[in-house]
Amino acid sequence: MSWDLATPFIIDLRVAADDIDGLGHANNAVYVTWLERCAWRHSQRLGLDLAEYRRLDRAMAVVRHEIDYLAAAYEDDELQLATWIVDWDQRLKMTRRFQLVRPSDGTTLLRAQTTFVCIELSTGRPKRMPAEFIDGYGPALMAGAL
């Protein structure tokens, strides 16, 4: 597979009938769901699951999505979605990149970038990342990838 960056975290996806809109392809809102699923699974792999977020009273909340839809996905397509953490300030903000590929023909269907801000769950307000976030997300940072 030809990924935009080295060492991606990858999830496998299959386009379901419910993902298809009136135009006969995967609806653009479904792609956003896939981005969230991929980011969340990556966080879990890094040891930062929902239980840990609750324990720490912190979470990474989306503040911006930038999505380039490059080609359509169709029912039963088998896809792979990759993510990389490409930037963070070790205080409040973190940025991920994504690439969605259809392995059967090597087509990149989507490229996206999402910006997250660390929030305190109990108040919903921005709050500095705890040490556990630094330790968990830090090793996954792709230096110079923006």
Side-chain angles (χ1 to χ4, degrees):
M1 194 60 55
S2 180
W3 297 109
D4 291 343
L5 299 171
T7 63
F9 175 83
I10 301 167
I11 64 169
D12 295 318
L13 300 165
R14 185 183 153 278
V15 181
D18 289 348
D19 298 331
I20 303 303
D21 63 18
L23 300 177
H25 55 72
N27 185 274
N28 62 321
V30 172
Y31 289 85
V32 176
T33 301
W34 293 339
L35 297 177
E36 188 274 334
R37 184 181 306 162
C38 186
W40 188 243
R41 287 189 185 161
H42 188 217
S43 290
Q44 291 169 324
R45 175 71 55 88
L46 297 172
L48 295 165
D49 60 12
L50 188 55
E52 186 69 352
Y53 273 23
R54 288 181 177 148
R55 184 184 75 77
L56 297 168
D57 192 29
R58 297 289 189 284
M60 297 306 296
V62 173
V63 293
R64 181 180 176 93
H65 283 302
E66 299 172 63
I67 302 172
D68 293 319
Y69 297 97
L70 306 171
Y74 300 96
E75 188 173 350
D76 293 325
D77 275 355
E78 300 286 340
L79 309 175
Q80 289 190 313
L81 181 58
T83 190
W84 303 265
I85 297 172
V86 296
D87 191 34
W88 73 332
D89 63 8
Q90 298 187 27
R91 294 183 308 276
L92 290 174
K93 286 188 171 184
M94 179 172 71
T95 304
R96 285 183 176 277
R97 280 182 46 187
F98 298 89
Q99 181 184 2
L100 180 65
V101 172
R102 183 174 42 234
S104 65
D105 62 7
T107 301
T108 294
L109 307 179
L110 169 145
R111 285 190 175 90
Q113 184 168 293
T114 300
T115 303
F116 298 82
V117 170
C118 186
I119 61 167
E120 184 176 53
L121 286 171
S122 58
T123 65
R125 293 187 175 155
K127 191 79 169 190
R128 189 176 187 92
M129 289 181 196
E132 291 88 344
F133 279 27
I134 306 299
D135 295 342
Y137 289 119
L141 178 67
M142 294 289 302
L146 260 185

